[in-house]
Amino acid sequence: MPPMSENTRMRLRDIGFRPGTFETGKLNAITDVAGVRVDHSTVNEGDTIRTGATAILPHGGNLFQEKVPAALAVYNGFGKFTGATQIEELGEIETPVVLTNTLATGRAIEAINRYTLSQPGNESVVSLNAVVGETNDSRLNDIRAGRPTIDEVTLAIQNAHEGMIEEGCTGAGTGTVAFGMKGGIGTSSRVVPIMGERYTMGILVQSNYGGNLLVCGKPYETPQHLDKDGSIVIILATDAPLSSHNLKRLAARCFGGLARTGAALSNGSGDYALAFSTADSVRRMPQRRKAIHAYPEIPNDMISPLFEAAIEATEEAILNSLCMATTTTGFNAATRKTSKIDAISIEALKALLTS
């Protein structure tokens, strides 16, 4: 049966929690960073398929021709993150970023390849560094069934848009589980004043990991408290002008937000954070790659507010992924049996707020 409908889902701030001190962007989403585009392809069929893909585009142009500086931080590397070595070596990304399930990683690469090679201006391109992150959704999804397909992943890339983002049981979060409860896609943003400028940072997460859940420092009791393993992919976008070196430092701070939620950070977890800058001044356009070029950057002594904001926004994005998810019945691919994962209780969260 399909996931149960719940009309009472609320984002964390709508319940009354206020993580951190920085103000949020207008949408409290990664798309508050101007130009960032996101969409999902949700594959929810019959009794066994609960999966999908989520695409994140740093800008709406040709990413191969106008690359953006980027960096990847890895806390525990029990997982797959394609394109990692070239990001580490060159400090940039040149394709859309796709999140999906573990066994769909190859199909997501092919979808990115087809999309990028078909763009005008890329007629002579013969090598690409497709960027794909994954978590394993086999507790609710028949992960061996070959879904999402290449075409289904491509839909998420082609339809990526600015504005509001769907959260919870959608796209790459359709079949994920966090803290023994239904996980999913979550997002949040912060506005950070530095040196007279206001920079925006946004986070999007695919939550699928374990531990002992903390909601803004308060323990949330679940019957699945021994659920420790799993993975999370964190995507950070900012319009602050940063080099790949400082983007790596910024990405690493996302794990502070992960820790605040009570993550077990276990041997079986795959914890990845990818950060990129959308600032026009640091974009690696063709003319800038063919000559010596000076790029502006926020100095090290002024960067700490961005670090704090990354921690806050990551924590809130994760909690939003739980709050917006709904109870889901699916198929456990390991046991070959029907599986039901309950969503976090909004009423219990309201009670926790006043405790």
Side-chain angles (χ1 to χ4, degrees):
M1 60 182 290
M4 296 165 56
S5 175
E6 294 184 33
N7 297 321
T8 58
R9 306 315 294 175
M10 303 170 68
R11 301 187 85 194
L12 187 72
R13 284 177 183 261
D14 295 330
I15 296 170
F17 289 96
R18 296 287 187 274
T21 59
F22 289 99
E23 68 175 283
T24 71
K26 180 179 179 180
L27 301 175
N28 194 15
I30 193 172
T31 45
D32 284 322
V33 181
V36 173
R37 288 157 164 79
V38 175
D39 198 39
H40 310 288
S41 178
T42 301
V43 188
N44 185 352
E45 292 183 5
D47 296 329
T48 61
I49 304 299
R50 306 282 183 269
T51 193
T54 296
I56 304 99
L57 280 63
H59 60 73
N62 187 327
L63 279 159
F64 188 84
Q65 299 299 331
E66 295 187 19
K67 309 175 199 296
V68 297
L72 178 69
V74 182
Y75 200 89
N76 193 72
F78 196 102
K80 275 66 64 184
F81 200 99
T82 74
T85 58
Q86 188 165 314
I87 295 170
E88 180 70 20
E89 185 70 20
L90 301 183
E92 61 191 25
I93 54 177
E94 61 189 23
T95 71
V97 178
V98 170
L99 309 181
T100 190
N101 76 55
T102 304
L103 297 187
T105 301
R107 296 188 294 277
I109 293 172
E110 182 57 25
I112 292 171
N113 288 347
R114 291 184 185 182
Y115 171 83
T116 304
L117 293 175
S118 69
Q119 288 186 289
N122 292 348
E123 292 81 6
S124 299
V125 173
V126 294
S127 177
L128 289 176
N129 189 47
V131 180
V132 181
E134 56 78 28
T135 71
N136 194 305
D137 59 14
S138 61
R139 289 177 62 176
L140 282 168
N141 174 54
D142 185 3
I143 198 170
R144 295 163 59 98
R147 309 291 293 280
T149 64
I150 295 169
D151 288 343
E152 288 165 341
V153 177
T154 301
L155 286 175
I157 303 172
Q158 291 176 334
N159 294 330
H161 58 86
E162 298 177 286
M164 293 294 294
I165 300 173
E166 188 178 359
E167 295 176 283
C169 306
T170 187
T174 302
T176 61
V177 179
F179 298 100
M181 297 174 291
K182 186 66 189 71
I185 297 295
T187 190
S188 185
S189 69
R190 295 294 186 274
V191 178
V192 185
I194 299 177
M195 302 171 65
E197 300 289 339
R198 286 167 61 84
Y199 298 106
T200 303
M201 171 193 299
I203 298 285
L204 182 144
V205 303
Q206 178 193 20
S207 65
N208 192 50
Y209 66 99
N212 296 295
L213 178 61
L214 298 173
V215 180
C216 295
K218 296 184 176 185
Y220 181 96
E221 297 297 331
T222 74
Q224 298 92 355
H225 64 281
L226 296 178
D227 190 13
K228 300 294 185 184
D229 285 338
S231 301
I232 185 169
V233 181
I234 304 165
I235 307 297
L236 182 154
T238 183
D239 57 11
L242 295 173
S243 66
S244 58
H245 174 75
N246 272 340
L247 284 167
K248 190 175 187 72
R249 299 176 69 206
L250 187 57
R253 268 57 180 190
C254 294
F255 300 130
L258 177 62
R260 281 187 179 181
T261 66
L265 305 173
S266 65
N267 173 72
S269 66
D271 312 316
Y272 298 89
L274 175 71
F276 59 81
S277 173
T278 65
D280 287 339
S281 58
V282 297
R283 193 171 295 181
R284 298 174 180 183
M285 301 177 182
Q287 62 272 27
R288 293 175 179 171
R289 300 200 303 271
K290 295 178 180 178
I292 295 174
H293 189 80
Y295 292 92
E297 181 171 24
I298 293 174
N300 291 337
D301 288 350
M302 304 301 294
I303 202 171
S304 289
L306 287 171
F307 291 168
E308 296 176 53
I311 295 170
E312 288 185 16
T314 301
E315 177 187 21
E316 185 167 357
I318 292 168
L319 295 172
N320 277 336
S321 76
L322 289 162
C323 290
M324 293 300 290
T326 56
T327 296
T328 300
T329 299
F331 177 80
N332 188 314
T335 65
R336 312 298 292 176
K337 296 179 180 178
T338 298
S339 176
K340 179 183 176 184
I341 302 294
D342 291 326
I344 196 170
S345 167
I346 299 298
E347 293 306 311
L349 287 172
K350 290 178 179 178
L352 186 64
L353 176 66
T354 57
S355 66

